[in-house]
Amino acid sequence: MKVSYYPLGDQAVLLEFEQEVSPEILSDVQCVYQEIKSDAPEWLIEAVPAYASITVHYDLKQLLDAESAEAVVIGFLKEKVAASKNSDPPEQRVVRIPVCYGGEYGPDLKEVADCHQLTPDEVVKRHTDGDYTVYMLGFAPGFPYIGGLDASIATPRKKNPRSAIPAGSVGIAGQQTGVYSIETPGGWQIIGRTPEKLFDMTKNPSFLLRAGDKIEFYPITEKEYEEWQE
Amino acid sequence: MIKVIEAGLLSSIQDNGRTGYQESGVIQSGVMDTFTLRIANTLVGNNESEGVLELTLTGPTLEFTEDHLIALCGADFSAEIDGAPAPLWRPVVVKKGSTLHMRFSKTGCRGVIAVAGGFDVPDVFGSKSTYLRAGIGGFKGRALDKEDVLPIGDPGKESEATFKRAEESPFTWSVSGAYTESVYSPEFIRVMPGLQFDEFTEESKRTFTNSTYKLSKQSDRMGFRMEGEPLERTTDEDILSEGVAFGTIQVPSDGQPIILLADRQTLGGYPKIGQVASVDLPALIQKKPGESVRFKWITVKEAQLLFKKREQEWQELKWIINKKLKEA
């Protein structure tokens, strides 16, 4: 495992892995993150995992007596990186997400199909057949960055972003696919919508997904979608 | 309770921010100027990181339905209580039925109002901060609006005692102007090299600190967009999105720097030329759109020593405030 440590200002350190998006790097990130979380010192405010890095925010107030606060943090991280070599990544969950494709819930399905000279049904098939992994969450609460979209249905973003995309909308933007976790403006091609909530404050846990999850999208009818809502 | 007569431009409940949920995409939020947060709370006997009302550019008009002990810190909104000027940086008793009226800020951009007992709103993911875009936390997940009624928590025994003393004879002291001046008026905003510093052209590295950048009108709690000499990288290679911090300076392809602030997203994908030193964030935060900023490079070690000095000064000031609060 190749890692480097960089200061992110006076109160954070970035632990960088090899800069690529791959299941191997994801697994390394998860193993190290797991070690950090299981033994977080008082001064550790929070650790934020991403595609190929972990950002560690530390409480400098608690490290004022140290010769170098940064050295303390990096020393701790080095230990965790070493320890992670003997640990297994967290068990991979499979989360199945129902999607009502096309119609009023997927207004751009036809555009995506036309763009690739496919039928809408074929786009749905290729989208549900994808081998998806959640690499990280960010952008909005519970919003997943998902890898594994079939390149044959990769589609550029819309020229004019919509001012409001409803929560649950399933979209494509370039090589990415994803699900909007809250209503926001956005330019993704919306091909369907899920009745599942990716972010629900009334539930514990409030987030449906976490990094490392495998995702399976499967089609449901409009009627099933509406029944789900009730 | 406090009734909102006019909400001001953007008034929201904020505390020290929400930590521990960035891994799930939940941003930190919290007050922009953490210096005002700890002083204002200390002045009314609250815990340093208790939720306060953060005000932006134009302050609100509030009516108090009970007696409250408050402190106004940060930008000067020409506050008046029932027509009489209200002092900044000092604990003030506001009597039941009084109205606090604020205007456009004369100096600074953001202020806070702390109330003894804090605002009685639920903790969401461990914080009272309002995450405006996701509509969570604070008062109903949003900025204040006309006719809102804000519930206030029970002040502790210390606050009650301070309250009584202030009622008998109002405090006449304030936090020293020399102290606030030292925080808010650095000649330069000090910055440390960012992760992609070496990817910028030699000329851009110099330009960044040799020229002046103006705060664009499109600046908000999420980030300050700066306008000035564009900065160039020697590569156009993409960067994988990774963690960012309060004060991270990103440079998108148009070369105009963006400084990420309290409501920044959890991850960023633009190259980072620098990072604002923590001690200079309050000074930066108080800039209004249109105002200028000059930057100066320092090392991480220097930034941490400045921070240590600031912490020591703060501990001394805190000790003095607590002592003053106990004097009749």
Side-chain angles (χ1 to χ4, degrees):
Chain A
M1 191 184 308
K2 249 176 67 188
V3 293
S4 324
Y5 306 86
Y6 302 100
L8 181 67
D10 50 29
Q11 308 203 32
V13 164
L14 212 112
L15 167 59
E16 254 191 12
F17 297 76
E18 265 179 88
Q19 292 300 289
E20 59 175 52
V21 179
S22 74
E24 293 74 33
I25 298 286
L26 173 65
S27 165
D28 287 349
V29 170
Q30 290 201 291
C31 287
V32 176
Y33 182 61
Q34 201 167 256
E35 291 294 332
I36 294 173
K37 286 265 275 200
S38 70
D39 178 30
E42 278 278 302
W43 48 256
L44 194 145
I45 295 173
E46 119 168 277
V48 187
Y51 281 121
S53 66
I54 301 174
T55 306
V56 175
H57 298 270
Y58 58 91
D59 185 0
L60 183 55
K61 289 197 284 293
Q62 294 186 47
L63 295 172
L64 291 179
D65 293 332
E67 176 71 25
S68 159
E70 209 177 289
V72 174
V73 177
I74 292 176
F76 165 79
L77 291 175
K78 282 184 172 163
E79 266 175 44
K80 298 302 136 194
V81 168
S84 76
K85 285 171 184 151
N86 304 317
S87 68
D88 296 319
E91 205 183 325
Q92 207 165 34
R93 306 185 308 174
V94 176
V95 183
R96 302 193 75 225
I97 296 182
V99 182
C100 175
Y101 287 98
E104 78 170 286
Y105 299 127
D108 301 324
L109 180 63
K110 189 157 182 318
E111 192 177 322
V112 171
D114 290 349
C115 182
H116 301 285
Q117 288 157 335
L118 296 169
T119 62
D121 283 352
E122 187 57 30
V123 171
V124 171
K125 185 172 178 305
R126 292 186 191 189
H127 190 261
T128 52
D129 282 351
D131 179 18
Y132 299 113
T133 305
V134 176
Y135 278 87
M136 58 184 188
L137 294 128
F139 175 67
F143 183 92
Y145 286 79
I146 301 170
L149 179 72
D150 185 333
S152 68
I153 53 169
T155 314
R157 285 179 167 79
K158 294 191 82 66
K159 284 204 181 72
N160 295 310
R162 291 188 171 88
S163 58
I165 294 182
S169 294
V170 176
I172 290 176
Q175 291 274 6
Q176 308 177 79
T177 187
V179 186
Y180 280 85
S181 57
I182 59 171
E183 183 184 293
T184 72
W188 290 34
Q189 305 280 357
I190 305 304
I191 58 169
R193 200 187 299 174
T194 177
E196 284 279 16
K197 284 182 175 154
L198 276 74
F199 170 57
D200 185 351
M201 258 188 8
T202 64
K203 283 195 183 141
N204 187 17
S206 301
F207 310 97
L208 180 68
L209 301 173
R210 56 178 190 237
D213 287 344
K214 301 289 282 179
I215 291 184
E216 287 174 14
F217 292 112
Y218 66 97
I220 55 168
T221 63
E222 247 170 74
K223 189 159 170 281
E224 284 171 313
Y225 178 94
E226 258 121 55
E227 281 167 6
W228 205 291
Q229 293 290 67
E230 290 151 20
Chain B
M1 283 187 300
I2 296 178
K3 251 170 80 179
V4 180
I5 309 296
E6 289 291 341
L9 185 65
L10 176 66
S11 309
S12 65
I13 294 176
Q14 300 290 346
D15 58 17
N16 221 3
R18 193 166 275 119
T19 54
Y21 295 90
Q22 286 199 57
E23 63 158 326
S24 298
V26 178
I27 65 169
Q28 189 182 0
S29 309
V31 282
M32 292 278 271
D33 181 349
T34 53
F35 174 73
T36 53
L37 176 77
R38 58 198 334 201
I39 292 202
N41 275 323
T42 302
L43 287 170
V44 298
N46 289 345
N47 181 304
E48 260 182 58
S49 50
E50 178 58 63
V52 297
L53 202 54
E54 182 190 74
L55 326 168
T56 314
L57 281 172
T58 305
T61 297
L62 306 172
E63 189 187 311
F64 293 73
T65 62
E66 291 158 68
D67 295 353
H68 284 295
L69 180 66
I70 67 165
L72 312 174
C73 292
D76 183 355
F77 295 95
S78 308
E80 287 179 352
I81 297 171
D82 294 335
L88 294 176
W89 308 102
R90 181 191 296 182
V92 178
V93 171
V94 187
K95 304 297 281 183
K96 177 181 172 174
S98 295
T99 302
L100 169 68
H101 178 65
M102 298 175 115
R103 301 185 177 80
F104 187 75
S105 72
K106 273 198 301 205
T107 56
C109 181
R110 291 179 167 84
V112 302
I113 303 177
V115 184
F119 293 91
D120 190 16
V121 295
D123 270 4
V124 177
F125 300 135
S127 163
K128 288 181 180 175
S129 285
T130 316
Y131 178 177
L132 294 160
R133 224 175 102 183
I136 64 176
F139 184 78
K140 299 183 178 174
R142 58 170 171 77
L144 297 193
D145 213 341
K146 251 182 212 181
E147 288 171 32
D148 283 343
V149 178
L150 310 174
I152 307 300
D154 276 331
K157 272 195 184 131
E158 291 278 315
S159 287
E160 286 286 9
T162 304
F163 203 129
K164 284 221 176 73
R165 275 191 289 276
E167 273 189 316
E168 282 158 17
S169 67
F171 294 113
T172 52
W173 52 269
S174 297
V175 172
S176 153
Y179 182 70
T180 52
E181 185 87 353
S182 76
V183 172
Y184 288 124
S185 311
E187 194 180 345
F188 299 96
I189 295 296
R190 288 160 286 197
V191 293
M192 293 156 277
L195 206 56
Q196 286 81 27
F197 177 76
D198 289 333
E199 291 179 9
F200 285 85
T201 62
E202 287 306 317
E203 199 193 334
S204 290
K205 289 178 199 169
R206 281 193 299 270
T207 303
F208 186 61
T209 44
N210 288 347
S211 63
T212 302
Y213 285 87
K214 207 173 83 179
L215 194 62
S216 139
K217 285 198 173 69
Q218 287 170 331
S219 296
D220 55 20
R221 283 180 42 89
M222 196 166 164
F224 280 178
R225 286 172 177 271
M226 311 303 292
E227 291 169 343
E229 286 291 315
L231 304 169
E232 272 178 52
R233 278 167 90 209
T234 52
T235 161
D236 52 8
E237 226 176 287
D238 273 345
I239 289 169
L240 284 183
S241 288
E242 59 189 14
V244 290
F246 202 154
T248 296
I249 308 169
Q250 292 190 330
V251 182
S253 51
D254 66 2
Q256 302 290 317
I258 299 174
I259 310 181
L260 303 179
L261 306 169
D263 280 356
R264 68 194 176 279
Q265 290 187 10
T266 55
L267 304 164
Y270 290 121
K272 300 175 273 291
I273 192 170
Q275 172 76 33
V276 177
S278 299
V279 286
D280 285 343
L281 285 170
L284 177 71
I285 289 311
Q286 291 297 351
K287 301 275 181 195
K288 286 180 195 166
E291 286 188 325
S292 299
V293 180
R294 296 199 67 185
F295 299 101
K296 185 186 170 185
W297 295 116
I298 60 170
T299 64
V300 171
K301 188 79 202 165
E302 286 170 313
Q304 292 184 331
L305 285 172
L306 288 166
F307 181 88
K308 185 172 180 172
K309 186 164 163 272
R310 175 73 55 78
E311 271 311 296
Q312 284 161 347
E313 286 165 0
W314 162 242
Q315 291 306 329
E316 283 161 26
L317 177 65
K318 190 174 171 180
W319 185 84
I320 296 169
I321 292 174
N322 283 325
K323 189 163 161 277
K324 287 269 186 196
L325 290 177
K326 292 195 174 78
E327 282 170 9

